[in-house]
Structures are given as structure tokens and as C-alpha cells.
Amino acid sequence: SHLPVIVDPSHSAGMSWMVEPLSLAAMAVGADGLIIEVHNCPEKALCDGAKSLTPAQFKKVADKVMKIRGIMNESDC
């Protein structure tokens, strides 16, 4: 498709511990972007707390995603 593929690993799994592996898998198979729930205090969130990452967890995932993205871009050459 000519349209971008955006994956939402937070809502796909519904559990925060699955967000990282699903994000990495999505990027490895060529997703164009991710939608990830982030909250400063997920346990106190009014909604979606169980599927939210803390900012520190998000940074860890984002760093890994960018590494995969770099590898995928290198293979496009």
C-alpha cells in the first residue's frame, strides 16, 4: 500500500509488558510508526493505565525502535 502503516501495541495487547516486544516486532516488519500510551503514573491513570508505559520505559523502547529503524533503512540500500 502507498499508505503508512501505524501500529498501536498498547491497545493491541492491553498490557504494558507486551508493548516493547510488539513495538520492536512491528518496526522489524516495516511499520511506519507506532502509537504508544505513556503516563507519568500509570497505576493512577483514569483510563488505559494497564497498557501505559512510564516516560522512562518509553525512552527505553524508543531507543530500541530507532536502532531497528536504522538497521531497516540500511537494508533498503
Side-chain angles (χ1 to χ4, degrees):
S1 168
H2 68 285
L3 299 172
V5 175
I6 308 297
V7 176
D8 184 346
S10 298
H11 283 90
S12 300
M15 296 172 271
S16 62
W17 67 269
M18 293 186 74
V19 172
E20 181 177 333
L22 288 172
S23 297
L24 300 178
M27 295 311 292
V29 297
D32 296 298
L34 299 168
I35 300 171
I36 298 176
E37 297 274 351
V38 180
H39 194 283
N40 287 333
C41 192
E43 58 277 1
K44 293 185 179 180
L46 297 178
C47 67
D48 295 337
K51 59 186 106 191
S52 296
L53 300 181
T54 64
Q57 291 170 319
F58 175 76
K59 178 166 180 3
K60 179 182 165 192
V61 172
D63 290 345
K64 290 181 180 182
V65 163
M66 295 309 291
K67 287 179 184 175
I68 289 176
R69 182 106 181 184
I71 292 168
M72 296 304 290
N73 287 340
E74 288 175 11
S75 67
D76 289 343
C77 297

